Amino acid sequence: MGLFFFGALPASWAQMPGTLPAPVAQVEGVQEYRLDNGLQILLVPDASKPTTTVNLTVRVGSRHESYGETGMAHLLEHLLFKGSARHPDAWAEFSRRGLRANGSTWYDRTNYFASFAADDDNLRWYLDWLADAMVNASLERSALDAEMTVVRNEMEMGENDAGRVLLERGLSTMYLWHNYGNSTIGARSDVENVDIEALRRFYRTHYRPDNATLIVSGLFETQRVLDWVQTYFAPLPRPGAPLPVPVTLDPVQDGEREAVLRRPGGVPLIYAMYHVPPGPHPDHAAFRALALILGDSPGGRLHRELVESSVAAAAFAFTQGLADPGYALFGLQLAADGDVTRAQEALLRVVEGLEHAPITQAELDRAKARWLKQWELSFADAQRVGVALSESIAQGDWRLHFLTRDRIRDLRLEDVQRVAQAYLVRDNRTVARYVPEATPRRAPEPQRVDVAAQLAGYVGDVRQGVIETFEPTPANIDANTVVHQVGEGLQVALLPKPTRGQLVHARLDLRFGSVTSLQGQGEAASMVAALLDKGTRRLSRQALSDELDRLRADVSVQSVAGGVSVSMRTSRDQLPGLLAVVAQMLREPALEAAAFDEVRRQWLAGLQEALRSPEDRVDNAVEGRLSPYPPGDVRHVADLDRQRQSVQALSLQQVRAFHKRFYGASHAQFAAVGDMDTQAVLDALEQHFRGWRSAEVYERIPRPFAEVLPAELRFTTPDQRNAYLRASQPLPMSDAHPDYAAFLVANYLLGQSGSSRLWSRVREREGLSYGIQSYVEWNAWEPNSTWTVSAIFAPENLMRVRQAVEEEVTKALLEGFTAEEVEAARKGLLALRRLGRAQDAQLAAALSENLRLGRRFEVSQAVDERIARLTPQEVHAALRNHLRPDRWVWAVGGDFKEAVR
């Protein structure tokens, strides 16, 4: 069967005349335009970093599917990437151009988005592809058949996650008629038996310019983008038939409902779910606050009353703002031996007991501060703005994004209490039990919202100013980076540059101990890092959380072998104050018994859950093989059972002793990227870190190359519908090896990119896997790196996936790559490296590592230049010289009880 096109355009369509898009509205720097055919355009200029993000939101999701059509919106998302009239191989082009592109489907919308280093040619090409895909997608039967296994694999991937499946079961019980009760990925029978003509009708019905919004954010020239939008989108026809409008609403729930999921392994989970008003409804803002008041950690009531008392290992909550009445969820994760009945009773007592234990003003203020902080941080990131706006678009109008913020800001205590008492009631609940009741309590009737009336006269806040562009070339980074030394041990690198919202990202790395002194200290080191954000000697856990909210700061701590890393994000004015708080966290952690017990319970629950995960079982075993050190060595990777035993044996005294013995800034690096007062930052570092020394001598932990015997490992994880394969090989190379650049390109062509050999065959042609990739974990210190290939798939396809990997690797080793492949790989890889340098958090981490290595970004420039000069022969030689399939450690995990083909 030939290509199947809808609404094909005339050959001269790109030259068709027309007026430019008309301006419609403007809120806080977001400008709306509209084409005559109904296409809505939102432009969000941000010149603070040289990246551009394009998002096309089509207002169709699983809510719009009819009986027997579940999963159609998601299937179309997959098939649009299979090609269109002028772009038959979109994925390969994304890879060649260095675009980070993907799509997503949800209840009320489908998104297609891409981020890339600002480039007019890429921007114009991607707009062209979006316009063509909107009306000329090649919906071939053969493409659908090839993609079917991939979609099944994605479905099976979700089925491996007990929490995700439990949510689906709860929603399908909660909604009697509305499609929010259906999984977006669809019913397996509907997906597997989809009629191609019905799918094409669904496409023609919903993929049209008057049902879509194009969002362009980041660095671009407004007039040029409007010209291209006019060129590519204006000729798209506006269908004469009106858009279908879903009318189904569930009746008010008339009694508690029950859903039970039973599976082997894992730890207990309990969800209490409630119907709530639609996202545009004024009362929905109260549920966003309630989710934090009840489910936040550590200040939420569920955490304070149930986690700290050991009834549960963890508590959480969230609410979905949707076009029609959505839902709120309050949940608990228990220890493996937790009392489910006791925990459920306690959960419902807290959630439904607000009438007798009213919300306090302090709780509401804290929730508002936390929510507004996250909103501000998100809106300051141009690469996240499009996705954030798309959810409001799906609800009815993009300006709801700002109106919701205003409603949160203006929330009154009595309104939150009123909403909680109206909706958080027994008869509006879906949980794991059913109890009849003669006198039901009804929640308010569901209702839709007149969005236009809600937004009448709305203008929002004042628009932000224009931000100067910073080009993150290696030379520019080196030229603008301020290098400093604090005391004897703290190295500092500061890269001041303008950013949206005056954001700044920072990274602090402390290094301590040696192989000898860290012997047997692995669990204590990890526990100290996990407890650093649980309070200090001067700030309680809640006070610390509140202080970080006041500073509009996010802080994350990660334990690494022989050290700890602290990542920070805040604004210019708050960074010095944040450094004072982080110093207090590191130097004076509370290390209290209650927090220790909580983290240990969560750690043990996570290890218990990992035992049923194919990915965790396989990765743990392979990493153990690749790190052949004896137990107790800081480089040793213990199996999951031994990790659990070690965690159970850990004492608070050991944790406190570890902190006292090892922590200090004797050997440390600090890097910050973004809008900052460099002198104020240096002053804060001097004040809070000078003179803080570790009691133990520091020696970098060596990881010399060691031969690892090839192996075949297999793990059975019962009732897991998704399997996992991994093969790894140690490489006697560092990132300073003469073949480094060539091997980067070889791996990019073999399995890293969307046009790679492995992806093209396993994902695109044979449709065996939702995801397959190869990558290298590079060692910058010693010639000891690791190459890995991994894939997920249905267990019955194990042999086909392995055969494909072996054949494609063998072919590449024997024949190498074509000149066209290498040219495309050079361009794509260089574009991705440029994009990486434009991410401030990544750049801060790289600057910190460069301090430790004694490097500058001129090293990165040399690698770029080497990549640009590579020949196919050099790329082939690097792969042939270093990749040895006969030395691989193979491992698979899954439920292989059925016949494997």
Side-chain angles (χ1 to χ4, degrees), residues 82-155:
K82 288 296 187 179
S84 60
R86 291 186 309 284
H87 304 285
D89 194 0
W91 272 120
E93 190 67 14
F94 295 158
S95 178
R96 284 193 290 268
R97 291 175 173 272
L99 274 62
R100 186 181 297 163
N102 213 329
S104 67
T105 308
W106 199 227
Y107 297 112
D108 303 309
R109 54 92 186 140
T110 304
N111 279 355
Y112 302 89
F113 50 90
S115 291
F116 44 91
D119 179 87
D120 282 353
D121 184 62
N122 281 342
L123 175 54
R124 181 174 55 192
W125 180 89
Y126 190 69
L127 292 173
D128 181 12
W129 175 74
L130 285 175
D132 201 35
M134 184 183 290
V135 296
N136 290 329
S138 308
L139 303 182
E140 301 175 86
R141 179 79 245 183
S142 60
L144 176 61
D145 292 341
E147 193 71 6
M148 188 58 66
T149 306
V150 172
V151 174
R152 287 196 200 97
N153 189 216
E154 184 179 0
M155 187 179 296

Side-chain angles (χ1 to χ4, degrees), residues 390-652:
S390 71
E391 303 306 328
S392 295
I393 291 165
Q395 294 175 24
D397 194 299
W398 61 272
R399 293 170 294 172
L400 289 167
H401 185 64
F402 303 94
L403 181 61
T404 300
R405 176 207 56 196
D406 296 351
R407 286 171 170 170
I408 293 288
R409 193 165 53 194
D410 300 332
L411 266 179
R412 298 182 305 170
L413 183 62
E414 55 266 32
D415 289 330
V416 178
Q417 188 69 34
R418 170 183 58 80
V419 169
Q421 291 180 209
Y423 287 90
L424 299 182
V425 297
R426 180 191 54 197
D427 291 348
N428 191 38
R429 175 214 312 157
T430 299
V431 77
R433 296 188 184 279
Y434 168 71
V435 178
E437 176 60 44
T439 309
R441 293 180 61 189
R442 300 284 189 251
E445 290 289 341
Q447 56 182 296
R448 287 196 169 91
V449 178
D450 182 346
V451 176
Q454 298 291 325
L455 292 159
Y458 182 73
V459 294
D461 288 344
V462 178
R463 178 176 178 173
Q464 297 190 21
V466 177
I467 302 170
E468 181 183 351
T469 300
F470 178 86
E471 182 63 35
T473 63
N476 206 22
I477 293 170
D478 281 341
N480 288 277
T481 299
V482 177
V483 179
H484 189 76
Q485 182 89 13
V486 173
E488 298 179 3
L490 178 57
Q491 301 168 286
V492 180
L494 305 179
L495 177 54
K497 68 184 190 72
T499 57
R500 184 183 178 89
Q502 296 187 312
L503 277 183
V504 58
H505 289 79
R507 171 78 169 258
L508 175 62
D509 293 303
L510 304 184
R511 309 290 174 178
F512 42 67
S514 63
V515 170
T516 301
S517 62
L518 290 169
Q519 176 77 16
Q521 298 286 345
E523 287 73 25
S526 296
M527 180 60 81
V528 171
L531 292 173
L532 292 178
D533 63 353
K534 305 298 188 295
T536 73
R537 296 173 195 167
R538 288 181 277 164
L539 292 173
S540 70
R541 184 175 180 181
Q542 187 61 63
L544 175 59
S545 178
D546 292 344
E547 181 64 9
L548 292 175
D549 286 342
R550 186 189 69 79
L551 294 169
R552 295 194 302 150
D554 280 340
V555 175
S556 63
V557 182
Q558 181 181 7
S559 177
V560 297
V564 64
S565 294
V566 184
S567 297
M568 296 162 258
R569 179 175 64 163
T570 186
S571 60
R572 172 191 175 96
D573 294 340
Q574 305 295 348
L575 181 55
L578 176 59
L579 289 174
V581 173
V582 169
Q584 190 179 147
M585 292 168 59
L586 291 167
R587 302 184 68 166
E588 306 174 54
L591 304 180
E592 294 178 339
F596 170 81
D597 290 341
E598 175 192 329
V599 171
R600 182 163 58 179
R601 289 195 303 272
Q602 293 173 351
W603 194 348
L604 290 170
L607 289 170
Q608 183 71 26
E609 191 69 23
L611 289 171
R612 65 186 298 273
S613 164
E615 291 89 341
D616 289 338
R617 295 284 299 278
V618 165
D619 287 341
N620 173 254
V622 173
E623 295 298 329
R625 291 291 182 114
L626 297 176
S627 190
Y629 296 96
D633 192 294
V634 69
R635 297 161 293 187
H636 175 70
V637 179
D639 65 38
L640 297 174
D641 282 327
R642 288 187 176 86
Q643 288 183 41
R644 185 169 53 180
Q645 294 168 10
S646 297
V647 174
Q648 288 173 331
L650 185 65
S651 70
L652 181 58

Side-chain angles (χ1 to χ4, degrees), residues 43 45 52 120 123 218-228:
L43 300 186
T52 306
D120 282 353
L123 175 54
L219 179 61
F220 58 86
E221 184 177 326
T222 297
Q223 190 59 47
R224 193 172 297 166
V225 169
L226 292 175
D227 288 340
W228 290 335

Side-chain angles (χ1 to χ4, degrees), residues 262-283:
R262 300 184 187 276
R263 285 190 171 187
V267 294
L269 293 166
I270 305 171
Y271 299 163
M273 304 164 67
Y274 303 83
H275 295 278
V276 302
H281 194 286
D283 283 346

